[in-house]
Amino acid sequence: MEIIITMTRIFLILFLVDGLCSSFINNEVLDCENYITKSLKQEIASYQPIVDKIINETVNGCFKSSTYNELAYFVDKFGYRFAGTDNLENAIDYMLEKSKLKKLENVHGEKVAVQAWIRGQESATLLQPRRQNLPMLGLGLSIGTPPEGITAEVLVVTSFDELESRKSEALGKIVLFVPEYISYGKTVIYRSKAASRAAKHGAVAALIRSITPFSIRTPHTGMQSYDANVTKIPVAALTVEDAHMLKRISDRGQKVVVNLKMEAHFGDIKTSRNTIAELRGSEKPEKIVIISGHLDSWDVGQGAMDDGGGAFISWNALVMLKALNLRPRRTIRTILWTAEEVGYVGAKQYYKDHKNETQNWNFIMESDEGTFTPYGLNYVSGNRGACILEEVVKLFAPLNATSSLRSDYVGSDITLWLMDGIPGASLLQRNENYFWFHHSPGDTMDVEDPVSLDKNTALWAATAYILADLKEDFPRN
Amino acid sequence: MEIIITMTRIFLILFLVDGLCSSFINNEVLDCENYITKSLKQEIASYQPIVDKIINETVNGCFKSSTYNELAYFVDKFGYRFAGTDNLENAIDYMLEKSKLKKLENVHGEKVAVQAWIRGQESATLLQPRRQNLPMLGLGLSIGTPPEGITAEVLVVTSFDELESRKSEALGKIVLFVPEYISYGKTVIYRSKAASRAAKHGAVAALIRSITPFSIRTPHTGMQSYDANVTKIPVAALTVEDAHMLKRISDRGQKVVVNLKMEAHFGDIKTSRNTIAELRGSEKPEKIVIISGHLDSWDVGQGAMDDGGGAFISWNALVMLKALNLRPRRTIRTILWTAEEVGYVGAKQYYKDHKNETQNWNFIMESDEGTFTPYGLNYVSGNRGACILEEVVKLFAPLNATSSLRSDYVGSDITLWLMDGIPGASLLQRNENYFWFHHSPGDTMDVEDPVSLDKNTALWAATAYILADLKEDFPRN
């Protein structure tokens, strides 16, 4: 999941995200009798046997553990899959081939131009008051340092406000931001804007504490962006523990000196692809319900959680519906986005390329906040759609997933369409520890659990199936 | 904390430890009226005002946060303190100097010969089925590899039994042990014996999953020892996540090839020191109550938890009693052991050097399992001593630390004396997550908490004070 979006037509920066889903539209009690008929309620309720079949096949039947096993094979085979690399393209080829083998329909890649960013070798070394290696990760799209690195005294601040009040001290220094972690949504601004804020006052580089509430000395990377009007300076994340240590040393009045070396640079523009597969609708194939996750990852860990899990429940839900011969009236389209982590590049291209089609899009789903134990759906919808979804989640009692939450943010890649008024959803799941692993070497298969993946696959498949099969189109907001 | 002991006179290998304290002597209900008099109970109860004063000064008064602050300064100044290094000796000098400044008594170091073991550069690289760096830590006292490393196919097994059943496959291979983590006490045998078990069947190196129940891709080191009758081969720990990945790949029938490079080797014999400070007894100064922790650490992280916390509550308890002018009848001795992690070297030397004195030792305490929120005392004692301690812990109600557990294992360095029948204790504390950080780069000040350290210091000081001040000597078992 990447939270920063730089799409020029969107001025609303998506820092609404608090923890994972803040700024809920108040869950006002809707009187659904005003919005949906008794017969529509009955129609939705009539899907219970199909939902039960999907759940049973996924959780207990021959699809049991298949999402986990497919995902594990994939991430063990390819490791992380960073935008602009051949490895990601090989992984996309694999998914296209595999989709064809599973007899998914309209399987193809859609081209996306991606500017490669290459991390290269990098290090941070504490030189004063004593020598120590500081595990670190450069932040996305950062510039590099000269080959000998940048050696400078460190100015430690806990906030942008503190930096402003001490701006005269920043000249020629490396500014280290050690904000208290409030929530990802509230604290990530220190990742995205550290370099620009520090450069404004003459700093030669910037460092941040990793944006995570808990650490076992693991650094976390992620995107940052430079403001237009300031000098670009290198920026990297230290571990929480080392950032705290440097703050303690600095608070004691001791001078802290660090050498930062980063080979980070931009490479060529490469061609990547969004990966598409469908189950074509039996009656209205032009009408679309989308389930999605992103196939690319950061260049650390295995990208199993962010977003292997989301991609594979979206893919395996389609495989399973196909295998069970559950073909709905409308088309279900699985999209495995590319280059999400480096700025929703795949989604933005798809948005441009499919402008003429979206009037037919009924509903759009993305899983990009982990695939832990699910308990329902987090959705964006108008009142009538909300009443439909409230009926749909009632069918998920066998999964203990009958909760729903009406929000104004439910995804990363799908945000552009949600903002155009297309209704959509993501998972409600027990992802309290998501940021412990996020964008770090700790994002591996060990975070994933076969049973949770089965449940998410079932919930995803059943939701998509019902919404794609209802007699009437899903209402626009 | 190091669990392996190789003392020749001890044949009982200390793998009794299960989680942290297994094999409890059944907490049979003692009828203490048979063991201690009403007047002794009253004498113990009369210490409540002193206990309250100690607690109040430590938790709320001018000693509030002092253990944390002293420890943080120390570990930030020295970082990890590995046996055989000048850095450890500088840290010992600092503690001796600091102890004199605090006007502790009989402050001195006692020499200990330590065989230096030097990790050097090391790496593990997956070569097949794809190339990937595998974060690792060589295990203590391992031999190194040739400069080019050892490149071999990996045989993955989950147990010694599985290795025995597949022993014909081990020749020329690197054996990777991926046991399920049951508890530290039950699983650590795979760290201590991996090399010898693998070498027995012709393996060229051994790898293990790190011995921890939870990981964010952090490797954990620790001691291992070679059996006398097998070839010594290099041995290292991978992260849990990578060990699981190699097992999955191997389970799929794919060939796994790894290159292991380790510069590990032995250095010179160095002189280290146990650090001693006392508060001399007012009436029976030759009688001794000991509080202790070890000052050395592994060569990763900051050694803040293992065992900075234990060392500093033992040291600061003495500082605080001195400052409060609480001088008991007997002597309280603080010992900061050296070279615990490489085989209790400091404790073994002290055991030899103080044989003639131990008839005067009343009670011996060590904290080496973390300094999290305390809830009482874990002790080894005869029945009469048990009844005394049960009365003592009642005084710790202001700390919510009135629990007690009678065990047959309570420490690491102090084990030799406990086995000689000298009664002793360690902390009961909420250290459920101790092994998440143990022997890893994650052992930093972020694991420590000022309030918990205050509480432990108070509990430690009050226990030592009462036992050193009671009219009668603490009964031998």
Side-chain angles (χ1 to χ4, degrees):
Chain A
M1 180 180 62
E2 185 42 59
I3 305 288
I4 304 167
I5 192 160
T6 52
M7 190 85 184
T8 47
R9 63 181 291 279
I10 299 182
F11 297 97
L12 172 63
I13 298 298
L14 291 174
F15 289 131
L16 305 172
V17 192
D18 180 5
L20 281 171
C21 32
S22 73
S23 312
F24 311 134
I25 294 169
N26 292 325
N27 254 6
E28 78 274 35
V29 179
L30 281 178
D31 186 353
C32 282
E33 286 185 16
N34 296 334
Y35 293 103
I36 59 172
T37 61
K38 209 171 161 185
S39 73
L40 177 52
K41 282 180 72 166
Q42 285 170 342
E43 187 195 348
I44 296 169
S46 76
Y47 284 96
Q48 188 71 62
I50 290 179
V51 171
D52 290 350
K53 182 182 170 73
I54 289 171
I55 293 172
N56 200 43
E57 288 293 333
T58 314
V59 175
N60 306 309
C62 60
F63 277 85
K64 182 177 162 66
S65 299
S66 65
T67 306
Y68 181 92
N69 291 336
E70 294 283 3
L71 176 59
Y73 185 86
F74 177 78
V75 301
D76 291 346
K77 181 175 177 65
F78 294 104
Y80 58 71
R81 306 160 303 282
F82 195 48
T85 65
D86 289 345
N87 190 49
L88 172 59
E89 298 317 302
N90 293 339
I92 291 168
D93 285 341
Y94 170 90
M95 289 309 295
L96 290 168
E97 189 60 34
K98 189 101 183 166
S99 299
K100 286 173 190 161
L101 279 173
K102 296 288 185 182
K103 303 198 187 311
L104 301 182
E105 299 156 15
N106 192 21
V107 173
H108 66 283
E110 297 193 19
K111 287 185 181 174
V112 179
V114 178
Q115 164 81 69
W117 176 80
I118 297 146
R119 176 181 303 282
Q121 294 295 309
E122 54 182 15
S123 66
T125 310
L126 178 63
L127 300 178
Q128 283 185 40
R130 63 183 169 83
R131 198 179 179 89
Q132 184 191 299
N133 176 48
L134 303 169
M136 54 74 81
L137 280 171
L139 299 186
L141 310 195
S142 175
I143 64 164
T145 66
E148 70 279 14
I150 290 170
T151 297
E153 186 176 346
V154 175
L155 170 65
V156 182
V157 296
T158 56
S159 67
F160 292 141
D161 285 346
E162 185 183 349
L163 176 60
E164 290 305 313
S165 72
R166 300 176 64 184
K167 61 188 177 189
S168 63
E169 299 173 56
L171 185 69
K173 299 226 177 84
I174 297 172
V175 176
L176 166 60
F177 294 92
V178 192
E180 189 187 348
Y181 183 90
I182 308 295
S183 67
Y184 185 80
K186 288 194 172 133
T187 312
V188 74
I189 187 79
Y190 286 96
R191 190 185 75 210
S192 51
K193 288 296 153 203
S196 292
R197 296 293 186 102
K200 206 170 78 175
H201 301 303
V204 290
L207 296 169
I208 61 164
R209 64 159 273 165
S210 287
I211 308 299
T212 178
F214 178 74
S215 175
I216 307 182
R217 200 87 175 276
T218 305
H220 296 241
T221 188
M223 278 289 277
Q224 64 91 36
S225 62
Y226 293 112
D227 289 348
N229 52 344
V230 297
T231 308
K232 291 180 181 180
I233 59 174
V235 58
L238 301 181
T239 66
V240 173
E241 291 93 330
D242 288 328
H244 285 164
M245 180 182 74
L246 297 190
K247 173 165 162 43
R248 286 193 303 271
I249 294 173
S250 174
D251 285 349
R252 293 183 195 117
Q254 287 181 279
K255 186 172 172 178
V256 175
V257 178
V258 162
N259 171 267
L260 179 69
K261 276 188 191 154
M262 293 169 62
E263 290 181 354
H265 63 283
F266 286 95
D268 297 336
I269 294 185
K270 298 286 185 79
T271 300
S272 187
R273 290 155 293 166
N274 292 312
T275 302
I276 317 294
E278 292 181 343
L279 192 55
R280 297 291 290 170
S282 60
E283 290 182 13
K284 307 172 186 177
E286 77 287 2
K287 305 267 184 175
I288 310 285
V289 168
I290 290 169
I291 49 181
S292 68
H294 65 86
L295 211 59
D296 69 303
S297 73
W298 274 101
D299 55 344
V300 291
Q302 288 193 302
M305 179 190 80
D306 185 11
D307 182 32
F312 271 70
I313 65 165
S314 300
W315 181 79
N316 208 29
L318 203 70
V319 170
M320 195 249 300
L321 290 171
K322 172 83 180 183
L324 296 182
N325 207 20
L326 286 169
R327 183 179 297 275
R329 291 183 171 93
R330 296 173 196 77
T331 293
I332 300 177
R333 178 181 297 168
T334 291
I335 306 179
L336 308 180
W337 310 103
T338 194
E340 189 269 355
E341 297 292 5
V342 292
Y344 312 106
V345 181
K348 286 188 223 170
Q349 187 64 49
Y350 203 82
Y351 185 83
K352 279 187 202 158
D353 295 346
H354 290 261
K355 263 200 180 310
N356 297 335
E357 181 198 42
T358 48
Q359 75 281 359
N360 282 324
W361 288 15
N362 267 230
F363 202 76
I364 185 159
M365 292 153 71
E366 180 172 27
S367 166
D368 187 20
E369 296 170 349
T371 45
F372 300 87
T373 307
Y375 61 95
L377 287 176
N378 186 19
Y379 65 87
V380 171
S381 165
N383 287 344
R384 188 168 152 72
C387 289
I388 291 172
L389 291 169
E390 297 295 337
E391 293 302 310
V392 168
V393 293
K394 289 180 184 168
L395 305 175
F396 301 146
L399 294 172
N400 286 323
T402 59
S403 293
S404 62
L405 183 64
R406 194 174 176 185
S407 305
D408 55 10
Y409 177 83
V410 299
S412 49
D413 298 279
I414 64 173
T415 306
L416 297 173
W417 293 281
L418 295 175
M419 294 181 84
D420 281 350
I422 298 174
S426 65
L427 297 165
L428 279 181
Q429 22 113 34
R430 306 285 173 204
N431 59 356
E432 296 81 0
N433 295 344
Y434 180 77
F435 290 107
W436 295 21
F437 310 100
H438 178 253
H439 295 186
S440 89
D443 179 352
T444 70
M445 275 313 286
D446 280 40
V447 183
E448 300 297 316
D449 166 61
V451 174
S452 297
L453 282 166
D454 285 346
K455 288 180 176 174
N456 283 311
T457 302
L459 180 57
W460 221 225
T463 303
Y465 180 83
I466 296 165
L467 300 185
D469 197 59
L470 284 173
K471 283 177 195 146
E472 63 173 278
D473 284 355
F474 197 88
R476 282 288 164 105
N477 302 345
Chain B
M1 179 178 63
E2 186 41 62
I3 305 290
I4 303 165
I5 193 160
T6 52
M7 191 83 186
T8 47
R9 63 183 291 281
I10 300 181
F11 297 97
L12 172 62
I13 299 297
L14 292 174
F15 290 131
L16 306 171
V17 190
D18 179 4
L20 281 173
C21 32
S22 72
S23 312
F24 312 134
I25 295 169
N26 292 325
N27 255 6
E28 79 273 36
V29 178
L30 282 179
D31 185 353
C32 282
E33 286 183 17
N34 295 335
Y35 293 104
I36 59 171
T37 61
K38 207 172 166 188
S39 72
L40 178 52
K41 281 180 74 168
Q42 284 169 343
E43 188 196 347
I44 296 169
S46 75
Y47 283 95
Q48 187 72 61
I50 291 178
V51 171
D52 290 350
K53 183 182 169 72
I54 289 170
I55 293 171
N56 201 42
E57 288 293 334
T58 314
V59 174
N60 306 308
C62 59
F63 276 84
K64 180 177 163 67
S65 299
S66 65
T67 306
Y68 181 92
N69 291 335
E70 293 283 4
L71 175 60
Y73 184 85
F74 177 79
V75 301
D76 291 345
K77 181 174 176 65
F78 295 104
Y80 58 72
R81 304 161 305 281
F82 194 48
T85 65
D86 289 344
N87 190 49
L88 173 58
E89 298 316 303
N90 293 339
I92 291 168
D93 286 340
Y94 170 89
M95 290 309 294
L96 290 168
E97 190 59 34
K98 189 101 184 165
S99 299
K100 286 172 191 163
L101 280 174
K102 296 286 186 184
K103 302 196 187 311
L104 301 183
E105 299 155 15
N106 193 21
V107 173
H108 65 283
E110 297 194 20
K111 288 186 179 172
V112 179
V114 179
Q115 165 80 69
W117 176 80
I118 297 146
R119 176 182 303 282
Q121 295 294 310
E122 54 183 14
S123 66
T125 310
L126 178 64
L127 300 177
Q128 283 187 40
R130 63 182 168 85
R131 198 177 180 90
Q132 184 190 300
N133 177 49
L134 302 169
M136 54 75 81
L137 281 170
L139 298 186
L141 311 193
S142 175
I143 65 164
T145 66
E148 71 279 14
I150 290 171
T151 298
E153 187 176 347
V154 175
L155 171 65
V156 183
V157 297
T158 56
S159 66
F160 292 140
D161 285 347
E162 184 181 350
L163 175 61
E164 290 306 311
S165 73
R166 299 176 65 184
K167 61 189 177 189
S168 64
E169 299 173 56
L171 185 68
K173 298 227 178 84
I174 297 172
V175 176
L176 166 61
F177 294 91
V178 191
E180 189 186 350
Y181 183 90
I182 308 296
S183 67
Y184 185 80
K186 289 193 171 134
T187 312
V188 74
I189 187 79
Y190 286 95
R191 190 185 75 208
S192 51
K193 288 296 154 204
S196 292
R197 297 293 187 99
K200 206 169 79 175
H201 301 303
V204 291
L207 296 169
I208 60 163
R209 63 158 274 164
S210 288
I211 308 299
T212 178
F214 178 75
S215 176
I216 307 182
R217 200 86 176 276
T218 305
H220 296 241
T221 187
M223 278 290 278
Q224 64 90 37
S225 62
Y226 293 113
D227 290 347
N229 52 344
V230 297
T231 308
K232 291 180 182 180
I233 58 173
V235 58
L238 301 181
T239 66
V240 173
E241 291 92 331
D242 287 328
H244 285 164
M245 180 182 74
L246 298 191
K247 173 163 162 46
R248 286 192 303 271
I249 293 173
S250 174
D251 286 349
R252 292 183 196 118
Q254 288 182 279
K255 186 172 172 178
V256 175
V257 177
V258 162
N259 171 266
L260 179 68
K261 276 188 190 153
M262 294 169 62
E263 290 180 354
H265 62 283
F266 286 96
D268 296 336
I269 293 187
K270 296 287 185 79
T271 301
S272 187
R273 290 156 293 166
N274 292 312
T275 302
I276 317 294
E278 292 182 342
L279 191 54
R280 297 291 292 171
S282 59
E283 291 181 13
K284 306 173 187 177
E286 76 287 0
K287 305 270 184 175
I288 310 285
V289 168
I290 291 168
I291 49 181
S292 67
H294 65 86
L295 212 58
D296 69 301
S297 73
W298 274 102
D299 56 344
V300 291
Q302 290 193 300
M305 179 190 80
D306 186 10
D307 182 31
F312 270 70
I313 66 164
S314 300
W315 181 80
N316 208 29
L318 205 68
V319 170
M320 195 249 299
L321 290 172
K322 172 81 180 181
L324 297 182
N325 207 21
L326 287 169
R327 183 180 297 276
R329 291 184 172 92
R330 295 173 197 78
T331 294
I332 301 177
R333 180 180 296 168
T334 291
I335 307 180
L336 308 180
W337 310 102
T338 194
E340 190 268 357
E341 295 294 5
V342 293
Y344 312 105
V345 181
K348 286 188 220 169
Q349 187 63 49
Y350 202 82
Y351 185 83
K352 280 186 201 157
D353 295 346
H354 290 260
K355 264 202 182 307
N356 296 335
E357 181 198 41
T358 49
Q359 75 282 359
N360 282 325
W361 288 15
N362 267 231
F363 201 76
I364 185 160
M365 293 152 70
E366 181 172 25
S367 166
D368 187 21
E369 295 170 351
T371 44
F372 300 87
T373 306
Y375 61 96
L377 287 176
N378 186 19
Y379 66 87
V380 172
S381 164
N383 288 344
R384 186 167 152 72
C387 290
I388 291 173
L389 291 169
E390 298 293 340
E391 293 301 311
V392 169
V393 294
K394 288 179 185 169
L395 305 176
F396 302 146
L399 294 171
N400 286 322
T402 58
S403 293
S404 62
L405 184 64
R406 195 173 176 184
S407 306
D408 55 12
Y409 176 83
V410 300
S412 48
D413 298 279
I414 65 174
T415 307
L416 297 172
W417 293 281
L418 295 175
M419 295 181 83
D420 281 350
I422 298 175
S426 64
L427 297 165
L428 281 181
Q429 22 113 34
R430 306 285 173 205
N431 59 355
E432 296 81 1
N433 295 344
Y434 179 77
F435 290 107
W436 293 22
F437 309 99
H438 178 252
H439 294 185
S440 89
D443 179 352
T444 69
M445 275 312 287
D446 280 42
V447 183
E448 299 297 316
D449 166 60
V451 174
S452 298
L453 282 166
D454 285 345
K455 288 180 177 174
N456 283 310
T457 302
L459 181 57
W460 220 225
T463 304
Y465 180 83
I466 296 165
L467 300 185
D469 196 58
L470 283 173
K471 284 177 194 146
E472 64 171 277
D473 284 353
F474 197 90
R476 282 288 165 104
N477 303 346

